[in-house]
Amino acid sequence: MQLSEVTHFESLTTGAWPALSSEYLDGWVLRFAAGYTKRANSVTPLWQGALPMLQKLHYCEQRYQQQGLPAVFKLSPASQALDEVLAARGYEVVDPSSVQTRPLQAGDFAFDAAVQSSDTVSDAWFAQFAALNNVPAAQQANARQMLASYACPTQFATLYHEGQAVACTLAVLQFDTVLLYDVVTLAEQRRQGYARRIVGHLLAWAQAQGAKQALLQVIVANTPAIKLYAQLGFTEQYPYWYRRQRV
C-alpha cells in the first residue's frame, strides 16, 4: 500500500472515533478525551508539515502533561521517522494492531432480524456498550458524549438472543467506507456466531448507504478476532502501533 493511501485511511480512522476536543498542529492531530481510550488521547501524525519535528514533539509532551497524561502517538508506516525519534527518547510500543479492509459487493450480506440498530445512542444501547466494554463509571459520561458527537451517518447495533443482549457494536460511514468499532460479545455467549451476525447486519446497512468498502482495526494479539475477520473476508492493509511516553 502506498503511503498516500495509508494517510487516507489514518484520516478516516481518526475522524471515525471522536475525541472530546482536538488540536491541529502542522499535520499532526492532538486529541483529548479526559483519558478515555488511547485513540482519543493521542497524537496522530497525518503528514510531515513544515515545522521541526522536535519542536512539535516537545509541544505535544507539554500539552499532555497539562492534562495529567503521558504523550501517546498513533503510528503507521507513514510515520517511520517519528517512530525512530520516539524510540530513541524511550517511548514504549503499545498494542501493535492491524488495519484491515474488504470490498463490499451486492448480495454479500443481509439484514438480521435479531439485530436492533439506530442512528442515535439510546440509553439501552449505551448501557450494553458500557457493560460489554467495561467502561469505568467515571468515564461513562465522556464516552457517551463522544459517541453522540458524530456528524456522519452512524449505526449503533445490538444483537439479541432469547431476549438477552449478546453482542453490540457501532458503524461509522465516511466517504465510501464504513468503519466498524468495538465488536463485543457477552463472554458466556462467545463462539456462537453472534459477532459474525451483527457485523453482517451492519455491512448490509453500509451497502444500502452506498459504501464500497469496510474497514476495521484489530489488536494483533486478539487471535479470535483476527480469525473472525479473516473468515468475513477482511485482509490486512498495513500495521499500526502506539508509542507511549514512559513516566
Side-chain angles (χ1 to χ4, degrees):
M1 171 172 280
Q2 296 186 2
L3 294 184
S4 59
E5 294 178 282
V6 173
T7 298
H8 171 60
F9 281 154
E10 287 297 288
S11 67
L12 288 176
T13 59
T14 299
W17 185 253
L20 294 178
S21 61
S22 299
E23 181 177 347
Y24 296 85
L25 174 66
D26 190 47
W28 293 5
V29 185
L30 290 69
R31 289 151 51 79
F32 305 94
Y36 177 62
T37 75
K38 289 190 309 299
R39 182 182 305 278
N41 292 274
S42 59
V43 181
T44 301
L46 291 177
W47 59 87
Q48 184 174 354
L51 297 176
M53 182 185 296
L54 286 179
Q55 182 181 3
K56 294 194 290 186
L57 176 53
H58 291 154
Y59 177 78
C60 292
E61 290 176 342
Q62 291 172 1
R63 290 290 289 116
Y64 284 94
Q65 183 180 25
Q66 291 166 0
Q67 299 289 322
L69 299 169
V72 178
F73 289 78
K74 182 174 181 282
L75 303 169
S76 72
S79 48
Q80 288 286 357
L82 176 58
D83 182 64
E84 293 174 4
V85 170
L86 294 173
R89 292 172 69 86
Y91 278 64
E92 61 181 334
V93 173
V94 179
D95 290 341
S97 301
S98 173
V99 172
Q100 303 195 356
T101 66
R102 65 149 292 157
L104 296 179
Q105 300 175 352
D108 284 351
F109 299 97
F111 290 101
D112 192 313
V115 176
Q116 295 183 12
S117 63
S118 171
D119 59 1
T120 58
V121 180
S122 68
D123 291 343
W125 183 88
F126 183 78
Q128 294 145 9
F129 170 86
L132 290 176
N133 286 281
N134 298 313
V135 180
Q139 289 285 10
Q140 290 187 16
N142 291 330
R144 180 146 190 177
Q145 182 178 345
M146 290 162 60
L147 293 168
S149 68
Y150 288 104
C152 53
T154 53
Q155 283 290 288
F156 302 90
T158 306
L159 188 149
Y160 289 87
H161 175 69
E162 296 181 348
Q164 180 184 32
V166 294
C168 77
T169 188
L170 65 144
V172 181
L173 183 61
Q174 294 189 119
F175 191 51
D176 65 349
T177 303
V178 60
L179 298 95
L180 301 175
Y181 284 97
D182 287 329
V183 181
V184 187
T185 303
L186 196 65
E188 59 268 28
Q189 296 286 355
R190 290 172 183 165
R191 302 186 184 279
Q192 303 296 318
Y194 297 132
R196 176 192 297 270
R197 288 171 57 185
I198 197 169
V199 168
H201 179 94
L202 287 178
L203 294 184
W205 167 81
Q207 286 180 291
Q209 304 301 309
K212 302 302 182 184
Q213 68 176 342
L215 182 153
L216 54 81
Q217 300 164 98
V218 58
I219 295 175
V220 171
N222 189 348
T223 302
I226 294 284
K227 290 181 178 178
L228 168 66
Y229 300 141
Q231 292 168 0
L232 287 167
F234 285 86
T235 58
E236 181 174 275
Q237 298 303 313
Y238 62 93
Y240 76 92
W241 58 98
Y242 292 90
R243 286 270 187 187
R244 182 170 59 199
Q245 185 182 29
R246 296 182 189 271
V247 294

